[in-house]
Amino acid sequence: MLDYPALAALAEIIRRGSFEAAAAALNVTPSAVSQRIKGLEERMGQVLIHRGPPARGTATGLRLMQHLDQVRLLEDTLDAALRPASGPATLRLAVNADSLATWFPPAMAALPVLYDLVLDDQDHARDGLRQGQVSAAISSDPEPVPGCDVLPLGAMRYLALATPDFLARHFPGGVTEPALRAAPAVIFNHKDGLQSRWVQKATGKRLHLPGHLIPASEPFARAVELGLGWGMIPEAMAAPRLRPLLPDLPLDVPLYWHVQRAMVPALTPLTAAIRKRAAADLRP
Amino acid sequence: MLDYPALAALAEIIRRGSFEAAAAALNVTPSAVSQRIKGLEERMGQVLIHRGPPARGTATGLRLMQHLDQVRLLEDTLDAALRPASGPATLRLAVNADSLATWFPPAMAALPVLYDLVLDDQDHARDGLRQGQVSAAISSDPEPVPGCDVLPLGAMRYLALATPDFLARHFPGGVTEPALRAAPAVIFNHKDGLQSRWVQKATGKRLHLPGHLIPASEPFARAVELGLGWGMIPEAMAAPRLRPLLPDLPLDVPLYWHVQRAMVPALTPLTAAIRKRAAADLRP
């Protein structure tokens, strides 16, 4: 068997960012935590924690933390009489920023766990799943990850929006190629291709857009509302005063729920809640 | 002189995440972009781009991108007749998540630049400033960074809040130490000490809190509104139905505007707008 007290120390260090905070949370001395990790690293033959500060898990360290979370979730499914008196289990999930900003949070109440959410784009979600560092992910990536089940949830609809003033100033002659090349867009981060995909749909061409980089969902929408640029906004977050750049040209982004196969039973209530929310709030 | 076309290629690669996207944005071939970077790296004697994917800047690469942004901002202050016909300058700023979610965005209109916002905690803001990778930062860190001016902005007031149901369920006998040790908190990330600091203020003790990790401002507040936990919420984001854990025990977090000294003149209008917003929305 693995050394579970050592795994508990490992998880606390990774989640709290230091050996000291982990020791206090576990109510043991920092040197006891150090020894548990040192022993675990010696048995595993590899480093599990980058010492920092902040202390961070290595890929193997994150994998072991995830294993501990899974064991604790399994313990939670035992009869109450058999269940150890430890606190609630932790569930580490990757969620794309716009889902977290809109339809996802109410589904979280379906499981009595502590959530450890990883806000990330699809590449990281995929890596996290493949390396066993997250139990499940909501992502726009349709490709199944080895060892995971994938369930389509429906599509998030994005609209290309701007303020009426912005449209009058930057698109006086309509949404032309030269205007798109000059008007500032609002872009989430360098992986965000939504604006470019919409432009390709609208003009048939790949244009390279000047843009603000604003890597948070609501501030992104707010920047568009303030007239700093145009951007692709989930329909649920679209302020009524914004106007579409072109009528009737939404962009639908299908979303998927990926779950580590070993976790499928323990996550059944969450999966049901996610499907229900998605059915209500996403496009079929 | 530095090779500015090569720096422009470097900045496009870092901001767009690939040589191909940079080439398209600059309207040159990918091999031209590659050669510019290779030449620049040979002259500098070091790697400027981690090839990826995604392509990412090294510390020196980020420093050179920042230098290019500064030169472009200076060009913008030239008379119109002397100004090159390039697009708007880019300004890379570090902003803490709660400022970006509340009072900061309207100040952005004060400068006609493209913003490249880095959403980050104070440690990264400090490192970014010291290494010259961001021009300025809004941070709770009061310590001046070498080469930067620092201006106090006032304090963001946080309230310890939960739903009435959550309070009745988890704090039936009041906000006691055992109740705080058991009730789930909502925590931004492992660097977020606000909940612990408030508990220390309330009880005189450092307790280690079980918690959900939700690393985005509005979803954090939403998780509290959904009754998943209690948490420290900026007063401007507090939903009316939430109740304080203890009356009259807010936590004020002073914020500071750090600016690279060379950028102080170019950022004067933004600094003025930030002071005005802060005076209106933060506590003195």
Side-chain angles (χ1 to χ4, degrees):
Chain A
M1 288 294 284
L2 288 170
D3 174 354
Y4 284 93
L7 292 190
L10 178 79
E12 289 292 348
I13 294 165
I14 295 173
R15 293 214 160 93
R16 296 179 187 268
S18 80
F19 281 66
E20 294 67 32
L26 294 164
N27 210 15
V28 298
T29 64
S31 91
V33 166
S34 256
Q35 279 169 19
R36 284 191 200 172
I37 297 303
K38 218 172 134 194
L40 196 61
E41 288 183 329
E42 277 167 11
R43 266 161 290 158
M44 298 284 164
Q46 55 185 297
V47 176
L48 302 174
I49 303 267
H50 297 300
R51 262 54 178 183
R56 285 175 303 109
T58 63
T60 310
L62 290 166
R63 177 69 191 85
L64 287 171
M65 174 173 87
Q66 173 64 10
H67 170 76
L68 175 73
D69 288 351
Q70 293 180 348
V71 170
R72 281 191 178 145
L73 266 170
L74 287 175
E75 286 182 353
D76 273 359
T77 64
L78 292 172
D79 284 342
L82 303 173
R83 212 176 301 156
S86 54
T90 298
L91 180 62
R92 188 171 165 93
L93 299 182
V95 184
N96 68 309
D98 286 338
S99 289
L100 184 59
T102 54
W103 63 273
F104 174 67
M108 293 167 72
L111 274 188
V113 297
L114 294 177
Y115 287 93
D116 176 2
L117 298 189
V118 184
L119 238 196
D120 238 319
D121 50 66
Q122 61 189 60
D123 292 356
H124 283 99
R126 196 169 184 81
D127 289 349
L129 284 165
R130 201 178 46 228
Q131 296 166 14
Q133 296 172 358
V134 299
S135 291
I138 293 165
S139 151
S140 60
D141 185 351
E143 284 299 309
V145 177
C148 296
D149 284 355
V150 56
L151 184 76
L153 293 174
M156 182 165 283
R157 173 159 292 185
Y158 287 85
L159 306 173
L161 298 174
T163 60
D165 280 359
F166 185 91
L167 289 175
R169 194 163 69 250
H170 292 277
F171 297 104
V175 179
T176 61
E177 271 183 52
L180 285 166
R181 282 186 205 274
V186 183
I187 301 173
F188 193 83
N189 61 26
H190 70 75
K191 291 190 177 172
D192 172 14
L194 283 184
Q195 285 71 219
S196 295
R197 280 169 59 196
W198 183 84
V199 164
Q200 190 161 19
K201 211 172 150 185
T203 66
K205 299 207 181 157
R206 284 189 64 76
L207 302 185
H208 287 273
L209 308 169
H212 303 282
L213 296 173
I214 302 194
S217 292
E218 288 84 352
F220 180 109
R222 188 121 175 263
V224 173
E225 285 160 40
L226 287 164
L228 290 164
W230 70 275
M232 303 301 297
I233 297 183
E235 57 182 344
M237 293 176 74
R241 59 182 291 269
L242 296 179
R243 296 282 167 273
L245 267 63
L246 290 173
D248 305 321
L249 197 69
L251 191 69
D252 287 348
V253 176
L255 294 175
Y256 301 86
W257 174 230
H258 298 262
V259 188
Q260 295 279 359
R261 220 156 278 146
M263 298 298 285
V264 167
L267 299 195
T268 301
L270 180 62
T271 298
I274 283 175
R275 292 184 79 150
K276 199 171 151 193
R277 291 288 307 173
D281 290 7
L282 298 178
R283 299 266 170 175
Chain B
M1 287 296 284
L2 288 170
D3 174 356
Y4 284 93
L7 292 190
L10 178 79
E12 289 292 346
I13 294 165
I14 295 173
R15 293 217 160 90
R16 297 181 185 268
S18 80
F19 282 65
E20 293 68 32
L26 294 164
N27 211 16
V28 298
T29 64
S31 91
V33 166
S34 259
Q35 279 169 18
R36 285 190 201 173
I37 298 301
K38 219 172 132 194
L40 195 60
E41 289 183 328
E42 278 167 11
R43 265 162 289 157
M44 299 282 164
Q46 56 186 298
V47 176
L48 302 175
I49 303 268
H50 297 300
R51 261 56 177 180
R56 284 176 303 109
T58 63
T60 310
L62 291 166
R63 177 68 191 86
L64 288 171
M65 175 173 86
Q66 174 65 9
H67 170 75
L68 176 72
D69 288 352
Q70 293 180 349
V71 170
R72 281 191 177 144
L73 267 170
L74 287 175
E75 287 182 353
D76 273 2
T77 64
L78 293 172
D79 284 343
L82 304 173
R83 215 176 298 157
S86 55
T90 298
L91 180 62
R92 189 171 165 92
L93 298 182
V95 184
N96 68 309
D98 286 337
S99 289
L100 185 59
T102 54
W103 64 274
F104 174 69
M108 294 167 71
L111 274 188
V113 297
L114 294 177
Y115 286 93
D116 176 1
L117 297 188
V118 183
L119 236 195
D120 236 318
D121 49 67
Q122 60 187 61
D123 293 357
H124 283 96
R126 201 172 179 77
D127 289 350
L129 283 167
R130 203 179 42 230
Q131 295 167 14
Q133 296 170 0
V134 297
S135 291
I138 292 165
S139 150
S140 61
D141 186 349
E143 284 298 309
V145 177
C148 295
D149 284 354
V150 55
L151 185 76
L153 294 173
M156 182 166 280
R157 173 158 291 184
Y158 288 84
L159 306 173
L161 298 174
T163 61
D165 281 0
F166 186 91
L167 288 175
R169 193 161 73 251
H170 292 277
F171 297 105
V175 179
T176 62
E177 270 184 53
L180 285 166
R181 282 185 205 276
V186 183
I187 299 172
F188 193 83
N189 62 24
H190 69 74
K191 290 191 180 172
D192 172 14
L194 284 184
Q195 287 68 222
S196 296
R197 279 169 60 195
W198 183 84
V199 164
Q200 189 160 18
K201 209 172 152 186
T203 68
K205 297 207 184 157
R206 283 191 64 76
L207 302 184
H208 287 273
L209 308 169
H212 304 282
L213 295 173
I214 303 193
S217 292
E218 287 84 353
F220 180 108
R222 188 122 174 259
V224 173
E225 284 159 41
L226 287 164
L228 289 165
W230 70 274
M232 303 300 296
I233 298 182
E235 57 183 343
M237 295 176 72
R241 59 183 291 269
L242 295 179
R243 295 282 168 271
L245 268 65
L246 289 173
D248 305 322
L249 197 68
L251 191 69
D252 287 347
V253 176
L255 294 176
Y256 301 86
W257 174 232
H258 298 261
V259 187
Q260 295 279 357
R261 220 156 279 147
M263 297 299 282
V264 168
L267 299 194
T268 300
L270 179 62
T271 298
I274 283 176
R275 292 184 79 151
K276 198 172 154 194
R277 292 289 305 172
D281 290 7
L282 298 178
R283 298 267 170 175

